[in-house]
Amino acid sequence: MAVQLSQIKASTLELPMVLVDTRALRKTVEALEEGRFEPLTWWQQHLTARTIRNNSRAQGLISLKSLPRDFIPYPHQLETVHRVVEEMHGSALLADEVGLGKTIEAGLVLKEYLLRGLVRRALILVPASLRIQWARELREKCGIQATVQRSEWEWSRADLVIASLETAKREPHRSIVLEQPWDMVIVDEAHKLKNRKTQNWQFVNILPKKYMLLLTATPIQNDLNELYYLVSLLRPGYLGTKRHFTSRFMAGKHEVKDAEGLRQLLDGVLIRNRRGQADLLFPKRVVHAEWVTLSPQERELYQTVTDFVRRRYRSLRSARQNALPLIILQREVCSSVQATAVTLLNMADRTEDKQIERELRSMAAIAARVQQNSKIERLIPMLQKSEQQWVVFTEFRTTQELLLRRLLDAGIPAIGFHGELGRGSREWVQSLFHRRAKVLVSTQAGGEGINLQFCSHAVNFDLPWNPMRIEQRIGRLHRIGQQHDVHIINLSSVGTVEEKILYLLQEKIHLFERVIGELDAIVRQSLSESSFEGRIMELLAESEDDSEFEAKLQEIADQVENAKQQLWRSNPLDRLYSQEEHAT
């Protein structure tokens, strides 16, 4: 469609003349001509540039004039930066829900203080796996060049250092770090500082600093004391003495007294943006289940392995021995024959029980007779018909290698991502996928530490039994910057444990409708100290047949639902910051 720039008028766009600039209009025309114009997300990122920069709350931020041209912060991020700089004087607890861009907010605050000449040296402490990602985000979004710490000399020679807390607190690094005149300290995953008795808290507390930002989506995980100690790192004495805080605000670990008074105090040091409140147009999650029918040979292997796992698990649990290999085996039999066979042979080589060894080698022989992988046969045509890029997640390296071979044989450009890749290789693989490959086949390592918002289609080739792992996978795609609805395909074999778990997660726990912080808290509260995977395995072993197993899974669903209600009633942060949402 040919569109002349002169034909587009402010009245047509229904915007005040002040909001329109020629560069934005030119990009609009190009998008229209190429058929890639998407009104909501594209409009928000490009045509509202003038609106954001003329925002009265953001007018005093000099950093906006020096950001990369292709990056425009969201209104809630600008509001956060304004509050940190003008009201909180550079020290704040950023507690946005997952996916709202706390990294960008921290980067913009740092940029503002650098340009004002108030900060020259800054230390950014993050999980080791996220150092490269932080460096990339600061460079691409904020125009900040920071050094990723790899040796002792960076501590004193680099002005802006990104490092892991675990490295910084250990000698010989610790002494060098504490000698440096840091102007600003930023700590990601700050909930790891919730206990003042830990080395983490004590180390961060004695770091020399003028300003500090703490980033966490869950500043309260167990009780209000955690919030007290986090705020004490930022501003010692701000909430009074521990005795005063307990007396005035705590009716118990989870119960708040004088909620209004506490909220007013926290407004001076804590910022929490929520998805429902932030002015964002998040794309939808569109979830599809692809049901796969196993071949008779695959069904024989699945049933034989499942019967063995049930019997052997009971035996090991009664003897209080490690049953983890059995959990892995049960998950692998829903993934690929090859992964199952490798584990069976490894277990056979390690056992000293001759009867068990014979059973394991007999099952490996059954695996050797299987001629196909029904999941792969379903997956390949799906990818061939699509023009989109895809991420295919699997838990197992053997399955990953099989998928890569089969996809390449089918003429589908694919590349693998796994936890054994070095830092440089991870960036290279991500860049190669972005520019050339159609499919990224990733192990769980791809569920953390990389951003894939340029891709909007994902396949769970096999399902983790831990719902947090699934949400982490999806979060790589469904995040700020995603321009399209995110499509998630769950491949599941009919008549297997995997089918039952998918039903539990999707229909009962409503996994795909929750954000990770809420989900984590609900699962932890519902299962107490036991792991989700362990609980599933116990139910499988205790059940005589599938119908009994389904009934027991319903019990878990009921526990999760009860935990959700209790969490909304007991979580002090939710009561303080989202009363209207939970009332709804």
Side-chain angles (χ1 to χ4, degrees):
M1 174 177 69
V3 180
Q4 298 297 321
L5 186 60
S6 59
Q7 293 176 332
I8 300 180
K9 301 178 181 178
S11 58
T12 305
L13 299 174
E14 298 182 356
L15 289 171
M17 182 64 73
V18 71
L19 298 185
V20 181
D21 63 24
T22 56
R23 189 179 66 184
L25 285 173
R26 192 168 288 109
K27 289 187 175 182
T28 305
V29 171
E30 292 172 359
L32 287 167
E33 290 176 336
E34 296 174 13
R36 56 181 174 83
F37 180 76
E38 297 182 26
L40 295 182
T41 55
W42 207 87
W43 185 270
Q44 184 178 28
Q45 288 192 30
H46 296 285
L47 293 188
T48 60
R50 187 79 68 179
T51 304
I52 292 174
R53 286 188 165 87
N54 286 344
N55 186 301
S56 60
R57 300 282 282 177
Q59 283 180 350
L61 301 178
I62 60 177
S63 56
L64 291 182
K65 300 176 182 179
S66 59
L67 295 179
R69 292 181 62 183
D70 59 349
F71 170 66
I72 299 172
Y74 285 89
H76 77 276
Q77 294 169 338
L78 291 178
E79 176 69 15
T80 294
V81 176
H82 172 85
R83 289 188 60 196
V84 171
V85 173
E86 301 297 337
E87 301 173 14
M88 301 180 180
H89 310 294
S91 293
L93 176 56
L94 305 183
D96 292 0
E97 285 186 342
V98 171
L100 293 183
K102 292 185 291 295
T103 302
I104 293 173
E105 292 170 354
L108 291 173
V109 171
L110 174 59
K111 180 86 169 182
E112 189 71 21
Y113 275 85
L114 287 169
L115 292 175
R116 293 187 182 198
L118 298 174
V119 167
R120 185 179 72 84
R121 304 200 65 216
L123 174 63
I124 303 169
L125 298 174
V126 305
S129 62
L130 300 183
R131 291 179 301 165
I132 299 294
Q133 179 179 317
W134 261 85
R136 184 171 58 248
E137 290 275 299
L138 291 178
R139 181 179 67 250
E140 295 177 355
K141 301 295 195 305
C142 304
I144 296 175
Q145 296 293 335
T147 300
V148 175
Q149 186 273 329
R150 292 187 174 90
S151 61
E152 294 178 30
W153 74 267
E154 279 105 350
W155 300 121
S156 56
R157 298 189 188 181
D159 287 336
L160 307 177
V161 181
I162 301 175
S164 74
L165 177 57
E166 292 303 313
T167 297
K169 72 181 183 183
R170 292 197 315 263
E171 294 293 0
H173 305 283
R174 176 187 174 93
S175 298
I176 303 174
V177 173
L178 293 177
E179 290 173 356
Q180 306 307 310
W182 305 111
D183 297 309
M184 177 175 284
V185 171
I186 299 173
V187 184
D188 195 11
E189 304 288 345
H191 47 269
K192 296 178 181 177
L193 308 176
K194 63 186 179 181
N195 187 342
R196 68 168 183 166
K197 296 180 181 179
T198 63
Q199 291 184 8
N200 288 345
W201 192 95
Q202 294 168 8
F203 174 73
V204 172
N205 188 47
I206 61 175
L207 277 172
K209 54 193 173 289
K210 299 176 186 175
Y211 312 104
M212 183 160 65
L213 300 176
L214 301 179
L215 283 61
T216 175
T218 52
I220 302 175
Q221 291 182 298
N222 293 310
D223 63 66
L224 275 167
N225 290 315
E226 298 167 357
L227 182 64
Y228 176 84
Y229 291 124
L230 283 176
V231 173
S232 296
L233 283 174
L234 292 167
R235 297 189 193 176
Y238 180 78
L239 295 177
T241 64
K242 181 63 173 62
R243 178 178 297 179
H244 169 78
F245 178 80
T246 302
S247 173
R248 180 178 174 185
F249 296 116
M250 294 178 62
K253 285 186 176 183
H254 298 285
E255 296 301 320
V256 181
K257 290 193 299 185
D258 189 10
E260 181 60 30
L262 179 57
R263 182 167 51 245
Q264 290 179 3
L265 269 177
L266 291 177
D267 281 347
V269 73
L270 183 149
I271 300 174
R272 182 168 177 80
N273 295 306
R274 297 179 66 86
R275 289 192 180 215
Q277 299 166 341
D279 184 18
L280 290 175
L281 295 167
F282 264 96
K284 291 189 249 181
R285 291 181 178 184
V286 183
V287 184
H288 312 268
E290 286 286 333
W291 303 108
V292 178
T293 302
L294 296 178
S295 69
Q297 291 174 322
E298 289 173 312
R299 173 62 60 187
E300 178 188 8
L301 176 64
Y302 172 81
Q303 200 59 55
T304 304
V305 168
T306 301
D307 291 343
F308 169 82
V309 166
R310 274 184 164 136
R311 285 186 285 104
R312 186 66 180 150
Y313 184 86
R314 294 170 188 165
S315 175
L316 290 178
R317 293 289 288 176
S318 62
R320 297 188 176 182
Q321 296 180 18
N322 180 25
L324 180 59
L326 293 174
I327 298 178
I328 294 173
L329 178 62
Q330 185 64 56
R331 288 161 49 202
E332 283 178 324
V333 79
C334 293
S335 177
S336 72
V337 173
Q338 287 77 0
T340 307
V342 169
T343 297
L344 288 169
L345 292 174
N346 287 339
M347 292 173 68
D349 290 339
R350 290 195 300 265
T351 186
E352 297 179 358
D353 188 314
K354 296 300 180 183
Q355 175 60 33
I356 297 296
E357 180 183 356
R358 283 193 293 271
E359 284 191 72
L360 291 167
R361 295 197 185 280
S362 174
M363 287 185 286
I366 296 174
R369 295 195 294 270
V370 177
Q371 298 298 314
Q372 69 181 76
N373 185 305
S374 297
K375 278 189 175 181
I376 294 180
E377 302 304 324
R378 175 67 66 86
L379 176 66
I380 288 178
M382 183 191 312
L383 299 180
Q384 287 174 327
K385 292 176 183 176
S386 173
E387 297 181 358
Q388 305 294 328
Q389 287 182 294
W390 292 75
V391 183
V392 178
F393 287 106
T394 176
E395 290 265 85
F396 309 105
R397 282 295 306 279
T398 304
T399 301
Q400 181 194 40
E401 292 167 2
L402 172 66
L403 281 165
L404 286 170
R405 287 198 306 272
R406 294 292 303 277
L407 291 174
L408 293 174
D409 289 343
I412 301 174
I415 190 169
F417 186 95
H418 53 78
E420 296 176 23
L421 293 173
R423 289 187 293 268
S425 298
R426 285 175 171 237
E427 277 209 328
W428 178 79
V429 167
Q430 183 175 344
S431 176
L432 191 60
F433 172 51
H434 191 185
R435 296 191 176 115
R436 296 189 179 182
K438 180 174 182 176
V439 178
L440 178 72
V441 182
S442 177
T443 62
Q444 190 59 37
E448 302 177 74
I450 60 172
N451 293 335
L452 302 170
Q453 56 264 54
F454 58 84
C455 176
S456 60
H457 287 66
V459 174
N460 287 313
F461 188 81
D462 43 55
L463 278 178
W465 288 9
N466 185 337
M468 295 307 303
R469 286 178 170 264
I470 302 176
E471 178 58 35
Q472 285 168 349
R473 290 176 174 184
I474 299 168
R476 298 303 93 204
L477 288 70
H478 192 249
R479 57 194 304 110
I480 283 183
Q482 177 56 257
Q483 299 295 301
H484 307 281
D485 290 344
V486 175
H487 293 261
I488 303 127
I489 309 293
N490 294 312
L491 284 178
S492 182
S493 302
V494 176
T496 66
V497 174
E498 192 173 53
E499 178 191 15
K500 309 299 187 296
I501 292 175
L502 178 58
Y503 178 74
L504 170 69
L505 298 179
Q506 186 169 328
E507 302 298 329
K508 295 298 182 180
I509 296 181
H510 304 292
L511 164 72
F512 302 99
E513 301 169 12
R514 304 192 188 284
V515 295
I516 196 168
E518 178 194 35
L519 183 70
D520 181 38
I522 291 173
V523 170
R524 280 189 291 103
Q525 181 158 327
S526 64
L527 298 180
S528 301
E529 298 300 320
S530 63
S531 71
F532 198 89
E533 300 100 313
R535 185 65 181 137
I536 293 290
M537 192 64 227
E538 287 175 7
L539 298 184
L540 178 66
E542 293 168 359
S543 303
E544 296 298 330
D545 52 36
D546 286 349
S547 60
E548 184 178 349
F549 181 52
E550 289 179 23
K552 291 182 181 297
L553 286 179
Q554 180 60 49
E555 293 177 8
I556 286 189
D558 294 340
Q559 291 174 18
V560 170
E561 182 62 27
N562 291 335
K564 179 185 70 174
Q565 300 300 329
Q566 293 173 16
L567 185 71
W568 287 359
R569 289 194 298 268
S570 65
N571 189 307
L573 198 66
D574 276 343
R575 285 208 305 277
L576 289 170
Y577 286 90
S578 50
Q579 291 176 340
E580 291 183 7
E581 180 174 329
H582 289 317
T584 303

